Amino acid sequence: MMRGRSDGAQKKRLWTSVGIGAVLVVFLYMYFGSKSSGESALEYGSRSLRKLGSSYLGGDDNSDLSRQDEKFALEDGDDGIIPKSFPVCDDRHSELIPCLDRHLIYQMRLKLDLSLMEHYERHCPLPERRFNCLIPPPPGYKVPIKWPRSRDEVWKVNIPHTHLAHEKSDQNWMVVKGEKIIFPGGGTHFHYGADKYIASIANMLNFSNDNLNNEGRIRTVFDVGCGVASFGGYLLSSDIIAMSLAPNDVHQNQIQFALERGIPAYLGVLGTKRLPYPSRSFEFAHCSRCRIDWLQRDGILLLELDRVLRPGGYFAYSSPEAYAQDEEDLRIWREMSALVERMCWRIAAKRNQTVIWQKPLNNDCYMERPPATQPPLCRSVDDPDAVWGVNMEPCITPYSERKYLPLVCLSLSVAQVKLRLGNKVLAGTSGFFLSKGSKIQS
């Protein structure tokens, strides 16, 4: 009896071991098999996307697949399979901007309000319409000219859009000379150069030495409807960084010129979505003949500009409405003046073709407005720093309830300054805001 029980136990252990071994073999097979099939699926997906991208723009279905330099290599990584290299798109796609592709918008039949400039906002393709390749440079592309020379000249072959140069030649935007495009620094409202125009704005505000930097108080500028961004380019020498904004419109992508010159800029528009910046991002905003209807939708575009301006920030507006005497321009000027007055902006300076408004430093003016004054203050639950894909709101973004004293200049160096908040001592910096009750110690 004991021997029979022992044999049964041994057989049971044997079958258990065999079962565990079988499960292990199946697991290893599934693991390595799925890894191999995963590579094949990814390679197949890459080929499918390239094929879709080519056919979507009218290319040959197999033309991209036959090119050796478009082979999609793979390698193992900590998180699984990662792409090692991407194929290059067809040369015809060298100026494709996937989320700002108006051809795609028309093909997808999106119902957009053209009067609100929605067709110039971001509309990204669906997954099945996305490319999986790198946008190539234009044929014959040269290594860009280095800064600061690039501010004044770029290679023509890098931006083959001479149409704009001919169209704006009378305004001194740019001139084609041989293999280069030259930028004299002019603009629609500053034919004699951006440098002189910038100095005149600083002079209007009584800044020392006609320098818009104002001893470090003006550091960030937002330029709306920037053209080829000469205004922003000439600010860099004054230690001011400007972000220039323009749409990809009939002017054939002005932002390409700005970026080739080495000037910060991006494609976009004041339409229905908030600008991609948190509140109080800029000390100065600028619009020179930017052709924006600031009165539309209860002044929502001007209110968006107000959101990104810092306390005491400026808005320089150079446009016929600021000086022309015809009936329509006078009407726009009256209505715009009434709007900014209700927004608590004041005229800091006005001369010839330019008016400069200044935003208030605190909430006092907002609190003193009569009840039901339009535009209203934004609700307390609205987050002024939420920006990506967030719709603009026709309301004024008030400051927080805490009162701030701006520290404009400190005679002590940063290393000598400490900021005491309660029982904590923090290292100090220039240009911060100090709440009441805080102390400075050296």
Side-chain angles (χ1 to χ4, degrees):
M1 292 294 292
M2 294 295 294
R3 182 179 180 85
R5 290 181 180 177
S6 177
D7 291 343
Q10 289 180 356
K11 290 181 179 180
K12 188 174 182 180
R13 286 196 297 270
L14 177 62
W15 282 111
T16 301
S17 300
V18 170
I20 293 174
V23 170
L24 182 60
V25 170
V26 171
F27 174 79
L28 292 174
Y29 174 80
M30 292 178 64
Y31 175 78
F32 288 105
S34 63
K35 184 175 181 181
S36 175
S37 63
E39 290 183 358
S40 300
L42 188 54
E43 289 178 330
Y44 175 77
S46 173
R47 290 195 299 270
S48 299
L49 286 171
R50 291 201 303 272
K51 183 176 180 180
L52 176 62
S54 178
S55 60
Y56 159 55
L57 289 179
D60 184 5
D61 288 352
N62 297 318
S63 60
D64 289 345
L65 302 180
S66 62
R67 295 171 58 175
Q68 182 65 27
D69 61 344
E70 292 185 354
K71 185 176 180 181
F72 195 77
L74 302 168
E75 64 180 3
D76 293 339
D78 295 337
D79 298 326
I81 300 170
I82 59 175
K84 185 177 181 180
S85 63
F86 287 92
V88 179
C89 300
D90 189 280
D91 289 342
R92 294 168 298 170
H93 309 161
S94 63
E95 296 193 66
L96 175 69
I97 309 173
C99 293
L100 294 171
D101 182 6
R102 279 182 288 167
H103 297 292
L104 175 64
I105 291 174
Y106 299 145
Q107 290 188 12
M108 294 176 65
R109 298 180 180 179
L110 299 179
K111 296 181 179 179
L112 304 176
D113 191 332
L114 302 186
S115 66
L116 302 184
M117 309 294 281
E118 283 187 299
H119 54 304
Y120 289 134
E121 294 183 319
R122 288 175 57 87
H123 301 283
C124 294
L126 298 173
E128 61 269 19
R129 284 184 173 267
R130 293 175 187 170
F131 288 86
N132 199 27
C133 55
L134 300 175
I135 303 297
Y141 188 85
K142 293 185 177 182
V143 175
I145 297 172
K146 293 183 178 180
W147 184 269
R149 282 180 53 212
S150 64
R151 187 195 69 178
D152 302 323
E153 60 180 19
V154 299
W155 295 113
K156 182 176 70 174
V157 70
N158 290 3
I159 312 175
H161 292 306
T162 57
H163 165 74
L164 187 59
H166 297 303
E167 180 183 341
K168 298 293 184 179
S169 59
D170 61 325
Q171 298 173 10
N172 222 17
W173 277 32
M174 53 190 185
V175 180
V176 177
K177 287 188 177 181
E179 295 184 342
K180 294 180 179 179
I181 297 177
I182 308 300
F183 299 89
T188 305
H189 264 262
F190 41 93
H191 299 176
Y192 299 105
D195 52 346
K196 296 180 178 61
Y197 173 68
I198 292 168
S200 69
I201 291 177
N203 181 266
M204 290 173 63
L205 294 170
N206 295 319
F207 290 169
S208 61
N209 301 319
D210 292 344
N211 189 339
L212 195 62
N213 177 278
N214 194 24
E215 300 179 352
R217 296 175 178 88
I218 303 294
R219 300 161 298 173
T220 55
V221 170
F222 184 64
D223 188 17
V224 186
C226 64
V228 292
S230 290
F231 182 79
Y234 278 83
L235 286 174
L236 289 169
S237 59
S238 298
D239 293 331
I240 299 174
I241 186 167
M243 179 55 70
S244 301
L245 170 74
N248 186 12
D249 56 13
V250 294
H251 287 148
Q252 295 180 318
N253 196 353
Q254 307 158 75
I255 295 302
Q256 273 189 293
F257 292 99
L259 296 177
E260 186 68 22
R261 297 172 73 185
I263 302 170
Y266 77 102
L267 280 170
V269 68
L270 281 167
T272 64
K273 304 296 182 183
R274 281 180 171 177
L275 296 167
Y277 305 103
S279 62
R280 310 180 199 177
S281 292
F282 301 95
E283 284 118 359
F284 198 99
H286 172 255
C287 160
S288 174
R289 198 66 178 269
C290 54
R291 298 181 180 275
I292 292 177
D293 179 9
W294 297 105
L295 296 173
Q296 63 172 287
R297 292 175 284 160
D298 301 319
I300 192 170
L301 303 184
L302 206 58
L303 291 164
E304 174 62 8
L305 213 57
D306 179 87
R307 183 186 67 84
V308 298
L309 277 176
R310 290 180 179 168
Y314 298 95
F315 175 42
Y317 183 56
S318 295
S319 185
E321 294 84 9
Y323 65 90
Q325 296 299 310
D326 62 274
E327 184 177 346
E328 179 62 14
D329 286 327
L330 287 173
R331 179 193 66 81
I332 295 174
W333 172 252
R334 287 193 297 267
E335 293 185 17
M336 198 166 176
S337 297
L339 172 61
V340 297
E341 183 178 356
R342 296 194 302 272
M343 292 169 56
C344 293
W345 288 12
R346 71 174 187 87
I347 293 181
K350 187 176 185 293
R351 182 190 301 167
N352 299 330
Q353 63 182 12
T354 303
V355 59
I356 304 175
W357 286 291
Q358 186 176 23
K359 183 179 176 179
L361 284 167
N362 51 49
N363 289 330
D364 292 350
C365 176
Y366 303 145
M367 299 299 103
E368 294 170 358
R369 299 190 313 164
T373 298
Q374 297 295 321
L377 296 180
C378 297
R379 299 171 301 171
S380 58
V381 295
D382 291 336
D383 183 1
D385 298 327
V387 296
W388 193 251
V390 178
N391 290 329
M392 295 181 186
E393 294 290 343
C395 59
I396 300 172
T397 303
Y399 306 129
S400 62
E401 294 181 358
R402 297 173 60 190
K403 293 185 178 180
Y404 291 89
L405 299 175
L407 292 182
V408 179
C409 293
L410 293 176
S411 59
L412 300 174
S413 67
V414 172
Q416 294 175 304
V417 177
K418 291 181 180 179
L419 175 64
R420 179 178 293 278
L421 296 174
N423 295 324
K424 297 182 179 180
V425 177
L426 306 175
T429 62
S430 61
F432 56 76
F433 287 90
L434 179 65
S435 62
K436 280 188 174 180
S438 302
K439 300 177 181 178
I440 293 180
Q441 70 175 32
S442 59

